[in-house]
Amino acid sequence: MILMQGKGVSRGVTTGKLYFFKRVDTTVEQRSVDDVEAEKERVRQAQEKSIAQLEVLAEKCRREAGDEAAVLFETHAMFVEDEDYVECINTTLEDEGCNAEFAVQTAGEQFAAMFAAMDDAYMQARAADITDVTRRILNNLMGVAEGGIDSDEPVILAADDLAPSETVQLDKSKILGFATQGGSGNSHTAILARTMGIPAVCGLGDALKNEYEGRVAYMDGETGQVFLDPDELTAAGLKTKYEKQQEMKMLLQEMKGKEDVTLDGKHVNVYCNIGSPEDLNAVLQNDGQGIGLFRSEFLYLASNDYPTEDQQFEAYKAVAAGMNGKRVIIRTLDIGADKQVDYFDLKKEENPAMGLRAIRICLNRPEVFRTQLRALYRASAFGKVAIMFPMITSVWEVKECKRACAAVMKELTEEGIPFNPDTEIGVMIETPASVFVAEDLAKEVDFFSVGTNDLTQYTLACDRQCNDLGKFFDPHHPAVLRALKMAADAAHKNGIWIGICGELGADISLLPTFLAMGMDELSVTPSAVLPLRAEIRKSIAQTCDLKLLEC
């Protein structure tokens, strides 16, 4: 038996073959070839495979988000076969005597540039579609697995760690669990696992070896243990734990349709955190009462170029409409720090967690911000959308954001485009500065949402991504909890509501403390909704206290 000990970051027991995430060099270089017709045949096969993939995606999108959302993939499938596009590829092959990859990339760049140079905004937006189609054909030419996993069966995905831009591309239907050498409980791999409700273990180090590829592993996301060839006693124990886990899931189904209210009548909104429209099914399956955090940056991470207004609008609209009138809080672009996007061309920083990130990028790049705000306000006509600004430290930042919102609403009104002028605006409380000026911020917005991951990081001066800090990164630290209480008091004093959208919101041990603070909303991963509801319904708010705030 081989035992690998790491840190459990998403509970549950699972078993399956280990599959190591493969990073492929997709750099395209020009090469001379002797057989141009063979290269044309390679292109044709890559096109056929691309069309088949897009048809599957369109059908999946139609089932989950409706016909309008599926149109994007259907349009992409048509463009793969566009006569002018294909002719450009073939002409390059014949004139240059080059490899298929170079010809496809050249055609993609020429057509994207042509559309980007047009006067019509709609046609300009098609440049991103062309870039996406070209990337898909190139991936199929180069053997890059769609969704990052080249396996016919679900697997336990192993890696050193996964960047946000990599997690967003994964084919989630093929993942039974995550096992990583590095990472932490706050890594994006861990957050994705909790969103999906599947086990995950990080910090396995060198014990997780590439030579284990293809071997059946048994993983416990609570204890942080990963086993290969477990003995009979260990295997039996894991099987029993898995069966109890399934029984608990069945019992929790009884919580569906019940109110999130304590025994003494205190209502708490239990919402969900999501990263893409694909997560909507998990929200509905777990009976989330709203969406407290839609991480819009994953639309940017999943793209090779700035997502257009229409692309963003379709994503926001799909979620807003899918929630049938329940509140959907969409956080504006939050990149920088550990979430890097190449095409933003951000300068390398010595301390990116405190550098140009989140709302600072938006205020420095007003056109990027304007595009997103237009998409958000357009989506507000299809559901109860709320807009939330991250990394706020000053009142002047909020006022600048509100000015940008006002300008966009004025534009949409003049263009006759419907939107909800009463769309709620909120800010994230995730820095000590925002806590200290919370009373002033509360006068400017409709709600607060506390990002406990970053608030802990900045309050304790602990890098949330550094696994080595261990016990020093303590979200239960009295300083963090007192900051939450200060923010809650400021919100309620000024007549606005406050919630928590960080990972701490799902911490059952802190629920009494949150109730004593008067938290109005807790936004958690979809899989945590029903367990949290069960605890709320057993609680008596009036008996809860704030003892944990004491040192």
Side-chain angles (χ1 to χ4, degrees), residues 3 93 314 480 484:
L3 168 61
L93 285 170
E314 291 295 343
V480 177
L484 290 172

Side-chain angles (χ1 to χ4, degrees), residues 146-178:
E146 179 68 20
I149 304 173
D150 188 12
S151 172
D152 294 329
E153 60 182 325
V155 296
I156 294 176
L157 188 63
D160 51 355
D161 198 8
L162 295 167
S165 56
E166 292 171 331
T167 62
V168 77
Q169 302 282 358
L170 294 172
D171 182 349
K172 299 174 182 64
S173 67
K174 291 185 177 179
I175 303 174
L176 297 168
F178 290 99

